[in-house]
Amino acid sequence: TQLLEQSPQFLSIQEGENLTVYCNSSSVFSSLQWYRQEPGEGPVLLVTVVTGGEVKKLKRLTFQFGDARKDSSLHITAAQPGDTGLYLCAGVNNAGNMLTFGGGTRLMVKP
Amino acid sequence: EPEVTQTPSHQVTQMGQEVILRCVPISNHLYFYWYRQILGQKVEFLVSFYNNEISEKSEIFDDQFSVERPDGSNFTLKIRSTKLEDSAMYFCASSEALRWQTQYFGPGTRLLVL
């Protein structure tokens, strides 16, 4: 069974601060996805990282896939209140037909 | 923009009753999935479906669960005899292909078993 551990579970910061969320596993994934989930809604994909060591940027968000494809990080620069939400990482199995989700990081950015 | 839709948005049922959760995936997608999220817990994979067959299922997806694509547009999850612990948010998702293709999630059905 593949497991993904996400940390921290909760993060409360001031507007303008930087933060990093981590997603770790002992298993190798074919790719890793980051989602954002709003209350009462389904997860919405932010990015997919596929190659070990890959770095992708989405405005102030930087996503990195570990060299061994077992871990990933999400870094947010100069966080804004609009970044408040639940961030989920999810690993894709080799067959590509299943996502294993981490427990999520609930981020609150205070103005 | 195309989206996955799910009905009903909320369902309350008595323990032991059968429920059918419905999903309409994005029209040109070929792969379909069900996930569930018990309140306060992780999103958990239940099953994936392709070409009218289950392609992967988790330990949660036991004999009480079944999936079906009864026509060209709907994808359903049936729970034959609901238990209290089946209370959760159930998400349907679909994708064009596998691997790094995006899975688009529906808004979910909140199931409460009393």
Side-chain angles (χ1 to χ4, degrees):
Chain A
T1 304
Q2 296 180 307
L3 293 173
L4 269 173
E5 296 296 327
Q6 224 175 305
S7 61
Q9 285 184 283
F10 302 96
L11 193 53
S12 180
I13 60 172
Q14 292 295 133
E15 183 177 359
E17 291 183 0
N18 302 332
L19 67 115
T20 302
V21 177
Y22 299 94
C23 185
N24 295 295
S25 176
S26 58
S27 306
V28 176
F29 292 98
S30 68
S31 61
L32 199 132
Q33 301 180 333
W34 285 90
Y35 290 82
R36 181 169 163 173
Q37 186 180 18
E38 302 299 336
E41 298 181 12
V44 176
L45 183 71
L46 296 173
V47 78
T48 300
V49 284
V50 179
T51 309
E54 183 175 4
V55 177
K56 279 193 175 176
K57 292 193 174 186
L58 193 66
K59 296 183 182 177
R60 293 175 295 98
L61 278 61
T62 301
F63 304 87
Q64 184 160 9
F65 201 13
D67 291 341
R69 306 209 318 276
K70 293 182 181 180
D71 53 84
S72 182
S73 63
L74 157 61
H75 183 79
I76 301 179
T77 305
Q80 298 176 0
D83 296 328
T84 293
L86 179 65
Y87 292 83
L88 302 169
C89 64
V92 183
N93 65 337
N94 282 336
N97 56 6
M98 181 172 84
L99 291 176
T100 298
F101 279 86
T105 295
R106 191 165 294 282
L107 172 65
M108 176 174 289
V109 182
K110 293 181 270 193
Chain B
E1 186 176 322
E3 57 184 18
V4 176
T5 59
Q6 290 184 242
T7 55
S9 58
H10 295 79
Q11 176 138 11
V12 181
T13 189
Q14 294 290 324
M15 190 169 58
Q17 294 295 304
E18 174 183 285
V19 295
I20 297 176
L21 309 183
R22 291 183 167 79
C23 168
V24 178
I26 294 173
S27 62
N28 64 330
H29 286 185
L30 301 175
Y31 299 84
F32 315 113
Y33 314 84
W34 283 102
Y35 293 83
R36 78 171 186 191
Q37 187 174 30
I38 295 171
L39 189 64
Q41 297 186 22
K42 294 182 181 184
V43 176
E44 299 173 291
F45 170 78
L46 292 178
V47 67
S48 57
F49 190 84
Y50 168 69
N51 200 26
N52 284 319
E53 285 184 345
I54 290 174
S55 68
E56 186 74 57
K57 61 180 182 178
S58 71
E59 293 167 354
I60 303 167
F61 194 87
D62 61 22
D63 292 344
Q64 292 299 309
F65 292 88
S66 62
V67 288
E68 192 179 28
R69 189 152 162 82
D71 52 45
S73 60
N74 289 285
F75 179 50
T76 62
L77 174 69
K78 182 193 290 186
I79 309 175
R80 287 190 185 80
S81 178
T82 49
K83 307 184 191 72
L84 297 177
E85 54 265 36
D86 293 327
S87 295
M89 190 76 137
Y90 287 81
F91 293 106
C92 172
S94 69
S95 65
E96 276 187 84
L98 293 180
R99 290 191 165 269
W100 49 84
Q101 292 295 320
T102 300
Q103 289 188 24
Y104 291 87
F105 282 76
T109 293
R110 186 170 295 283
L111 175 66
L112 179 60
V113 182
L114 301 176

